[in-house]
Amino acid sequence: MAGSTLIPVLTLPQPLVLLPTARLQTFLDEPAGLKLVELVQRSEAQLVIGTVPCTSTSEVHSWGTGARIVRVVRTVSRSSDKAFQVTLHGLSRLHYPDTQSGAPFAPNDLVELVAERPKSDDHPSQAAVATFRAAATKLLEHLAQDTNQQSRRDVYVKISHMLEEVSNDRTPWMADVIVAGINKLDYNDKLAYLSASAVDERLKRATELFVKQASISEVTKKIAQSIDESLSKQQKEFFLRQQLAAIQRELQALTRSSGTSGQDGAASNGASELDDPEQAEAEDMADIRNKIEAMAKDSDERKMAVREWKRFQRIPAGSVEHGVIRNYLEWLTSIPWPSSSAYSAATSSDKLRDRAFLENARKQLDEDHYGLEKIKKRLIEYLAVVRLKQLQAECSASQQPSSSILLGGNPSTQRSEGDTTSRALALISKALNSRHDAGAKTEAKPEQILTKPDVAEQQKFQRGAAHKAVKGPILLFVGPPGTGKTSLGQSIARALDRPFQRISLGGVRDEAEIRGHRRTYVASGPGSIVQALRKAGRPDPVILLDEIDKIGQSNFHGDPAAALLEVLDPEQNHSFNDHYINVPIDLSQVLFICTSNSLETISAPLLDRCEVVHLSGYTYDEKLHIARKFLLPKQLKANGLTPEHVILTQPALLRIATHYTREAGVRSLERAIGAVVRYKAVEWAEYVDATGDANINRVPDVSAGEQVAAQAAGVAKTYKKTVEENELEKILGIARWDEEEMHREERRGLVYGLVVTGMGEGGILPIETIAVPGSGQLKLTGSLGEVIKESGELALSWVKSHAYDLYITKLRSQDPLKVPDPIDIHLHLPSGAVKKDGPSAGIAMTCAFVSLLTGACVPVNVAMTGEITLRGRVGPVGGIKEKVLGAHRAQVTKVILPWANRKDVEHDVPPEVRAEMEFVFARTMEDVLEAAFGKNVLSWRRSMVVMESRL
């Protein structure tokens, strides 16, 4: 380094850097400009000062440039920061040892710093010069090719020639010239190059900068070329499509003008939606845009839609991603978002405002279903809550704008007290005049007199009221097939005036069927929940999840039952996340109704989220009403007949229900009635063909006697519209179910229990016991499960322990199966092909053993059900309604039930059935035996109290 000198230095603001051989113009404020002018005036020769980049207020860069003052002028700008303009020409590098003295530093300020001039007597190496020349030549070629101005291209060519002719010692100076001429260098790269005082290091850094700039230029050129190619391809494709559309329009015009056939001419006269696909495309995109605009501001769905719309506009039409985003936007905008103004009118509450809403809903349910009072009561409760919550929300929403106006919520409308009073008086007088002119019209509301709320505010409050609507319950209808679970959901939708959608879950084994596939997969789409919402077109439909108990179990596709947990949880489904949509969807206003035939296969967490409503089987009285009111008219309409063509008598209808069907629901009953109607339809068609009567609706009134007499006399075919009971065997064949359960016998060891069949229907089941020679063993047959076998062993153990009390044995220590003669007891339950299990046959087995060992018989009009314990307690069982109805159908007049099941009889069993039967509720086996055999039929030994001494 040379000697140190204190010189004036001009601080340059970021990103200005003056390199040697470069020129720079900058502005100075008034004090700095006057100080520089004074230095120029005092200097005898052309003034040379130092420049340094000002990196911060606390210090400056350690390297700068010595610069000659070319020009200093006062500007005409009124800004104090631009009072003077100075032009500098860089000469050589300067080093500043102390970069912090004189702090704080301000940009474009003159300070005095100690500067050192580096020595420049070293020579560059041959390798550094060679690499520098190659990199600089390549960069200059790229710059010359990229520029569009001929003058710049000539300059780059001249510099390239100079680079070839310059000597090796002058290459550092040439590096300064080229680097100073590059405008797009980074600020830090300039500082690093300025700091390179050694010539080899300077050439090395210049080479790195040239290679970097050449690479950037190549990449930029390649990108621009690909964009140009893409744009030219799009323009060409657009031009060809326009030509194709014009050719198609000309061909269509020629086809219309030369219509050869009447059919073709008629078809071409009307406009088709397939004629102009481009117009339809534009209309579809405009519809999507309008739906996006209708979404609530700052909502998640609007943000997602706007982002995807911008991507959609950037992607070319021929790209695969273009179709994927288009499909996604169609799904996203077709979902009825509760906050969107496009669907605000779809959730109108006009029907809920009707005072007769509940009465009409109850009438609708009664018209669609007979019976089911408990279910109807629960549904009416829900509808009442929906109506009250909706009215409360609308009331609070209507009061909110008026209260804000009364309290001066809008600051722009606040005036002085006198102005407000005069304005209010003017409004009141205007309202009175308009009321006088209107005559008998309704009175204006106070909030309408004050001011008219903004339409946007009204829509905002309406959306708020809709958002605060009551959450829909998750109802789970459990019952046998054919009991009206699905039709109940349709009735609820009609009563609420909501759209109804059904989703069948039977056999669904993939989680994506519920949640949808992610958009990364090919041909992905949303799940069934979102599809149902799109079809409904409203955010509050009634969605029926059918056969939820038959959903697939967990596998490698996921667990669909677990995916339903979020859907059916009222605390979580306000933000349901579909994998395809990927935006939280509000399902809180949806009324979900699930159906199931049993609860055993439903997972416990899923069952916990549902409100279980049991639909047991219909009584025969209910079946007759349903058949007369619903099934018979439906079958008549389906088979082209009217009620005048077929009259089904009450005994015939009862025989169909009791002997040709055996189910809890009414599907088999409907099929049987349909068979009868079709049989009469054939008879009526043959009669019309034989008589040649043109009026097929006129039905002759022919009795059975007249029909027989006409057939005997050989008269033409007649038609009898009445179907009697004795004709059913000819129409339906032999009855499937005989009356064996009604023809019972009273015998020793025979007791009738109550069961529920696999079809959900109750009935009676004989429990037969017999004593055979043996070794005191118990044999159980009849396809019995483990639980019912244990019930038989419990019953025999209880009988053995009380054999002495019942006078079966003479000593308490004797075994009734071994004294006086060893025997085995064989217990059998008929219908051996049907599997049987459960604890409810305990007391019936006990009574059968007591009857076998004592010889007493249980009357045939007595049936029983209940679980037994070793202590002789009678435990509660399930299926009470079905069992009682089965006993009533079998003409049983006395039923023995556990004491804990008396509430089930009072709540579930119809009153007309309770009136015809006697119910005995037993706590212990002693109560059961007394009710089954009769009072004082069995003799009991009362145990004497014995005092035992323990002295």
Side-chain angles (χ1 to χ4, degrees):
M1 292 285 180
S4 301
T5 308
L6 186 65
I7 62 173
V9 177
L10 178 64
T11 57
L12 300 178
Q14 189 175 353
L16 296 181
V17 176
L18 179 63
L19 295 174
T21 73
R23 283 205 175 193
L24 177 68
Q25 289 184 353
T26 185
F27 292 96
L28 302 179
D29 58 3
E30 187 77 18
L34 294 176
K35 188 184 299 184
L36 184 62
V37 170
E38 183 181 356
L39 289 176
V40 171
Q41 291 176 351
R42 287 191 303 176
S43 177
E44 297 178 357
Q46 199 169 6
L47 179 64
V48 176
I49 64 172
T51 62
V52 63
C54 184
T55 56
S56 66
T57 58
S58 58
E59 65 174 342
V60 294
H61 193 59
S62 60
W63 286 89
T65 305
R68 183 171 61 247
I69 304 298
V70 178
R71 184 184 181 190
V72 180
V73 295
R74 180 180 288 274
T75 64
V76 294
S77 175
R78 296 182 180 180
S79 175
S80 60
D81 296 336
K82 298 181 179 180
F84 290 88
Q85 184 181 28
V86 58
T87 303
L88 305 172
H89 178 75
L91 299 176
S92 62
R93 286 173 172 78
L94 295 177
H95 181 258
Y96 303 103
D98 188 4
T99 60
Q100 296 181 353
S101 63
F105 298 102
N108 291 328
D109 190 14
L110 276 174
V111 295
E112 290 188 349
L113 293 176
V114 176
E116 298 176 350
R117 189 183 301 275
K119 295 180 180 180
S120 58
D121 53 354
D122 51 346
H123 302 283
S125 63
Q126 191 70 26
V129 171
T131 55
F132 165 74
R133 289 180 188 273
T137 302
K138 184 176 180 181
L139 176 62
L140 291 172
E141 289 178 356
H142 280 293
L143 294 177
Q145 293 175 1
D146 294 343
T147 184
N148 295 326
Q149 300 178 5
Q150 185 63 33
S151 59
R152 282 182 173 272
R153 190 177 293 111
D154 295 341
V155 170
Y156 292 140
V157 172
K158 288 181 181 180
I159 296 176
S160 180
H161 292 327
M162 291 175 59
L163 184 64
E164 295 175 357
E165 297 174 357
V166 74
S167 63
N168 292 346
D169 294 339
R170 296 285 290 172
T171 50
W173 170 81
M174 199 68 193
D176 291 340
V177 172
I178 299 176
V179 171
I182 301 176
N183 297 325
K184 298 180 180 180
L185 284 180
D186 186 65
Y187 181 69
N188 294 325
D189 291 340
K190 289 182 180 180
L191 294 180
Y193 179 76
L194 181 63
S195 304
S197 59
V199 291
D200 283 344
E201 183 182 1
R202 193 184 314 169
L203 292 178
K204 179 181 178 182
R205 293 191 179 180
T207 303
E208 293 175 354
L209 291 177
F210 296 163
V211 171
K212 181 178 178 182
Q213 290 299 315
S215 301
I216 293 174
S217 177
E218 288 180 359
V219 173
T220 305
K221 184 177 180 181
K222 188 180 295 183
I223 293 174
Q225 185 177 1
S226 63
I227 291 175
D228 291 340
E229 291 178 357
S230 176
L231 289 176
S232 62
K233 183 180 178 181
Q234 289 183 12
Q235 292 171 356
K236 183 178 180 181
E237 181 182 359
F238 176 76
F239 178 71
L240 292 175
R241 289 188 180 277
Q242 291 292 330
Q243 285 186 333
L244 180 61
I247 293 171
Q248 288 177 349
R249 283 194 293 268
E250 292 296 331
L251 289 175
Q252 290 172 2
L254 290 175
T255 304
R256 292 193 187 97
S257 61
S258 61
T260 56
S261 63
Q263 182 178 359
D264 294 340
S268 61
N269 287 335
S272 173
E273 65 272 11
L274 304 177
D275 288 344
D276 194 357
E278 293 185 0
Q279 182 179 359
E281 176 79 11
E283 292 177 355
D284 291 344
M285 298 312 300
D287 184 41
I288 292 176
R289 182 186 180 91
N290 293 335
K291 289 181 179 179
I292 295 176
E293 293 291 342
M295 293 179 179
K297 295 292 182 64
D298 298 330
S299 60
D300 294 337
E301 59 269 15
R302 184 185 178 96
K303 293 178 182 177
M304 177 67 77
V306 170
R307 187 178 68 182
E308 295 297 326
W309 177 267
K310 292 179 179 178
R311 288 185 58 205
F312 179 77
Q313 297 296 325
R314 292 195 302 265
I315 295 178
S319 173
V320 177
E321 190 70 15
H322 185 275
V324 173
I325 299 178
R326 163 77 180 272
N327 188 37
Y328 176 77
L329 284 174
E330 288 180 352
W331 274 107
L332 185 65
T333 55
S334 63
I335 297 175
W337 301 100
S339 58
S340 175
S341 60
Y343 299 98
S344 59
T347 57
S348 61
S349 56
D350 295 336
K351 197 163 186 177
L352 290 174
R353 297 191 189 99
D354 189 3
R355 294 180 182 272
F357 169 72
L358 294 179
E359 183 180 352
N360 295 335
R362 189 179 286 109
K363 183 179 179 181
Q364 180 73 49
L365 293 174
D366 290 337
E367 288 178 356
D368 294 341
H369 295 85
Y370 180 83
L372 305 178
E373 298 301 330
K374 290 180 63 178
I375 292 91
K376 291 179 183 178
K377 178 184 175 184
R378 177 64 186 91
L379 296 179
I380 292 297
E381 291 173 355
Y382 166 70
L383 297 179
V385 173
V386 169
R387 183 173 187 272
L388 292 177
K389 292 285 288 185
Q390 185 70 29
L391 295 179
Q392 288 178 358
E394 290 181 358
C395 181
S396 60
S398 62
Q399 291 177 358
Q400 187 73 18
S402 61
S403 61
S404 62
I405 294 170
L406 287 171
L407 294 173
N410 190 357
S412 62
T413 59
Q414 293 181 359
R415 300 179 181 177
S416 63
E417 185 178 357
D419 294 338
T420 306
T421 306
S422 60
R423 184 162 52 90
L425 290 174
L427 288 171
I428 292 172
S429 61
K430 182 179 179 182
L432 291 174
N433 294 332
S434 62
R435 186 184 307 172
H436 177 72
D437 297 336
K441 290 185 179 180
T442 56
E443 295 183 357
K445 294 183 179 180
E447 57 268 21
Q448 292 177 347
I449 296 175
L450 287 172
T451 183
K452 183 178 180 180
D454 189 17
V455 176
E457 292 294 326
Q458 289 180 351
Q459 293 179 355
K460 179 180 178 181
F461 285 115
Q462 287 176 359
R463 288 197 293 267
H467 183 69
K468 295 178 182 178
V470 61
K471 294 181 179 180
I474 313 298
L475 301 178
L476 174 58
F477 293 157
V478 181
T483 52
K485 300 183 292 295
T486 303
S487 57
L488 266 176
Q490 296 174 349
S491 299
I492 296 171
R494 282 193 293 268
L496 283 171
D497 194 18
R498 294 185 184 182
F500 176 79
Q501 293 295 323
R502 175 180 171 273
I503 300 175
S504 180
L505 298 178
V508 173
R509 56 184 180 86
D510 193 353
E511 177 195 5
E513 295 287 337
I514 309 297
R515 288 186 175 274
H517 296 83
R518 299 189 184 276
R519 293 173 60 191
T520 54
Y521 297 103
V522 178
S524 59
S528 54
I529 302 295
V530 175
Q531 294 178 19
L533 278 177
R534 180 182 183 180
K535 293 177 184 177
R538 281 177 52 175
D540 57 345
V542 177
I543 296 181
L544 179 75
L545 303 178
D546 208 4
E547 308 294 350
I548 197 173
D549 58 327
K550 299 174 181 61
I551 196 168
Q553 301 299 320
S554 177
N555 52 36
F556 65 94
H557 291 292
D559 190 358
L564 283 174
L565 294 179
E566 183 182 5
V567 178
L568 299 180
D569 193 344
E571 301 300 327
Q572 299 180 16
N573 61 8
H574 60 84
S575 58
F576 170 69
N577 185 25
D578 186 271
H579 288 162
Y580 180 80
I581 302 298
N582 203 23
V583 175
I585 302 173
D586 187 6
L587 301 179
S588 60
Q589 299 182 39
V590 179
L591 174 57
F592 287 101
I593 298 176
C594 310
T595 66
S596 170
N597 296 127
S598 64
L599 300 177
E600 284 74 14
T601 57
I602 303 178
S603 62
L606 186 59
L607 190 62
D608 181 63
R609 285 162 169 79
C610 302
E611 181 179 347
V612 180
V613 179
H614 291 275
L615 280 78
S616 56
Y618 293 107
T619 65
Y620 279 118
D621 184 52
E622 291 174 341
K623 286 185 178 181
L624 294 180
H625 279 87
I626 293 171
R628 184 71 65 187
K629 189 176 180 181
F630 301 104
L631 304 183
L632 184 57
K634 178 181 177 182
Q635 289 299 323
L636 289 173
K637 183 179 180 181
N639 293 282
L641 299 178
T642 62
E644 288 77 15
H645 289 92
V646 179
I647 297 177
L648 200 59
T649 61
Q650 193 72 6
L653 198 57
L654 179 60
R655 185 168 180 82
I656 293 174
T658 55
H659 291 77
Y660 289 91
T661 63
R662 184 63 64 88
E663 61 172 352
V666 291
R667 285 180 180 164
S668 296
L669 179 61
E670 183 179 4
R671 284 191 286 266
I673 292 175
V676 174
V677 173
R678 288 192 300 271
Y679 181 86
K680 300 304 291 184
V682 173
E683 282 191 354
W684 175 245
E686 292 176 351
Y687 171 77
V688 171
D689 293 340
T691 58
D693 192 355
N695 188 4
I696 63 173
N697 292 325
R698 186 174 59 189
V699 182
D701 191 5
V702 181
S703 62
E706 293 176 352
Q707 185 181 18
V708 173
Q711 291 177 356
V715 184
K717 187 174 182 64
T718 60
Y719 176 77
K720 185 173 73 74
K721 60 182 179 181
T722 305
V723 180
E724 303 289 348
E725 182 181 0
N726 53 10
E727 302 177 42
L728 292 178
E729 188 168 343
K730 180 178 65 175
I731 300 173
L732 300 176
I734 300 175
R736 295 182 57 193
W737 312 99
D738 54 18
E739 298 180 352
E740 61 176 358
E741 64 179 13
M742 298 184 183
H743 300 292
R744 301 182 294 273
E745 58 176 333
E746 183 176 329
R747 57 171 294 174
R748 178 179 180 180
L750 177 62
V751 175
Y752 290 93
L754 299 177
V755 295
V756 178
T757 64
M759 294 178 289
E761 189 177 53
I764 64 172
L765 180 68
I767 298 176
E768 303 173 348
T769 58
I770 189 174
V772 295
S775 58
Q777 300 296 323
L778 174 64
K779 185 177 183 180
L780 302 171
T781 58
S783 297
L784 308 183
E786 292 296 327
V787 178
I788 199 170
K789 287 181 179 179
E790 292 177 356
S791 298
E793 295 173 359
L794 281 172
L796 184 59
S797 298
W798 187 89
V799 172
K800 286 181 178 181
S801 65
H802 293 80
Y804 177 76
D805 298 333
L806 292 169
Y807 289 96
I808 299 175
T809 60
K810 296 181 179 179
L811 299 176
R812 190 175 294 277
S813 60
Q814 291 179 344
D815 188 349
L817 301 187
K818 295 182 179 180
V819 177
D821 297 322
I823 60 172
D824 288 343
I825 294 181
H826 186 180
L827 185 145
H828 177 70
L829 274 65
S831 301
V834 180
K835 294 186 177 296
K836 310 170 189 68
D837 204 358
S840 61
I843 63 173
M845 291 180 174
T846 306
C847 290
F849 292 147
V850 172
S851 173
L852 178 66
L853 297 176
T854 61
C857 297
V858 178
V860 294
N861 66 328
V862 177
M864 62 194 73
T865 183
E867 183 181 0
I868 185 177
T869 66
L870 277 177
R871 296 178 299 160
R873 299 285 183 180
V874 180
V877 294
I880 293 298
K881 179 182 179 181
E882 291 81 2
K883 293 176 179 178
V884 171
L885 295 180
H888 179 261
R889 183 181 59 249
Q891 298 179 359
V892 172
T893 59
K894 187 176 183 180
V895 178
I896 303 174
L897 300 173
W899 177 266
N901 289 117
R902 66 189 187 280
K903 59 181 182 301
D904 299 318
V905 176
E906 296 175 359
H907 292 168
D908 298 339
V909 178
E912 60 272 11
V913 176
R914 295 204 305 264
E916 298 178 4
M917 301 180 70
E918 177 187 357
F919 294 93
V920 178
F921 301 102
R923 286 190 175 93
T924 61
M925 272 307 303
E926 287 81 357
D927 301 336
V928 173
L929 294 177
E930 182 177 347
F933 292 94
K935 197 170 184 179
N936 299 326
V937 173
L938 296 178
S939 301
W940 287 81
R941 283 194 181 100
R942 304 303 175 187
S943 301
M944 294 183 297
V945 180
V946 179
M947 299 295 295
E948 183 178 355
S949 174
R950 295 189 178 273
L951 293 176

